Amino acid sequence: MTSDAPGRARALAHPDRAEIRLEQVLHALADPVRLSLVCTLAEAGEELPCSAFPVPVTKSTSTHHFRVLREAGVIHQVYRGTAKLNALRRADLDALFPGLLDVVLAARRSQELPARSGA
Amino acid sequence: MTSDAPGRARALAHPDRAEIRLEQVLHALADPVRLSLVCTLAEAGEELPCSAFPVPVTKSTSTHHFRVLREAGVIHQVYRGTAKLNALRRADLDALFPGLLDVVLAARRSQELPARSGA
DNA sequence: GACCTAGTACGAAGGGCATCGTACAAGGGT
DNA sequence: ACCCTTGTACGATGCCCTTCGTACTAGGTC
C-alpha cells in the first residue's frame, strides 16, 4: 500500500470556507464547460461521478475543470472506489455569497433556452 | 473635422440587451480591477468619468478594462467633452440576470472587510 | 492474476489576457 | 494660439488558461 492512512481513501485538498474568494468563484463559473458542470450538478441534486457529466472535452481536460471548481471552493470531491463523487458546496457558497449560485443558475437557464417572449 | 456626424460626440459600440452573455459578464466581473470599477460605480449611484476611479494600473490598462466591461454589457459609456462618463447598465442586467449584480456587490463588500463575527 | 473502468499526471501547443510605455487625438481654459 | 486634461491606439511582453495525447495509478470484477 502506498497510503499512510490505511482504510481511508486518498484525500483531496479543499479550501476552507473562509478561504473561498469571490473572484476565484466568478472565474470558475465564467467558463462554459465548468458552468455546465455546475448546472448539471445542481439539477441532479446529488453527488455525481465525473463520468456522469456530458462534456465536450477529453478526460484530462475534464479533470482540469473539476480541479478548478474544487480549488475555487465551488464543489467538493471525494474518492469512492474507482469513481470520484462531486457535490456542490451549496451550504458554503450560500453562506458566503447568499443567492449567487441560484442567480447564476437561473440566469444560465434563461439563456440556454432562447425563449423570447415576443412570439 | 474628422467625424461624419457633426454636433454629435464620438459613438461607442454597446451590445444590445439581447446580446449580453452571462459568461462574458461573469468573466468581466472576475477580474479584481474590473470588479473594483463596478463596485465604485454602484456605490456612486451616478455616472463617473474614468478619472474618478481609484485604480492601481496605468491609464492604458484602465482603458482596456473599461472596454471589457462595456463590451460585456456591464457598463454604458458616453463621451462628454474630454471626459468619458461611465454608468452601470443596471436595468439591463437586472432584467437579464435578476439579482446577479446585487449579489456580487454584496459578496464583494463582505469580503473586502474581514468583519469576522466572532469578535 | 488478468482485466476493465475511472480518473490522474505530465508535457506541449495555441490562444487569450493584463500590463506597460509611448505617441497621439479631442476638448476646454487662459 | 497655447497648453493642459482626459482618454485612445498600438505594439510588446509575459503570464495564464484551455485543450490535447499519452502513459500511468487505483480500485473493483472475473
Side-chain angles (χ1 to χ4, degrees), chain A residues 66-110:
Chain A
F66 277 112
R67 180 169 43 223
V68 171
L69 287 172
R70 171 167 48 85
E71 291 178 347
V74 178
I75 65 172
H76 180 87
Q77 298 189 293
V78 61
Y79 284 105
R80 179 80 164 259
T82 65
K84 188 155 82 172
L85 294 183
N86 303 275
L88 260 187
R89 292 182 66 174
R90 260 209 175 275
D92 290 321
L93 292 175
D94 285 347
L96 287 169
F97 319 122
L100 178 61
L101 201 54
D102 288 326
V103 159
V104 170
L105 291 174
R108 201 226 176 210
R109 227 166 289 132
S110 78

Side-chain angles (χ1 to χ4, degrees), chain B residues 89-106:
Chain B
R89 293 182 65 175
R90 259 208 175 276
D92 290 321
L93 292 175
D94 286 347
L96 286 170
F97 319 122
L100 177 61
L101 201 54
D102 288 326
V103 158
V104 170
L105 291 173

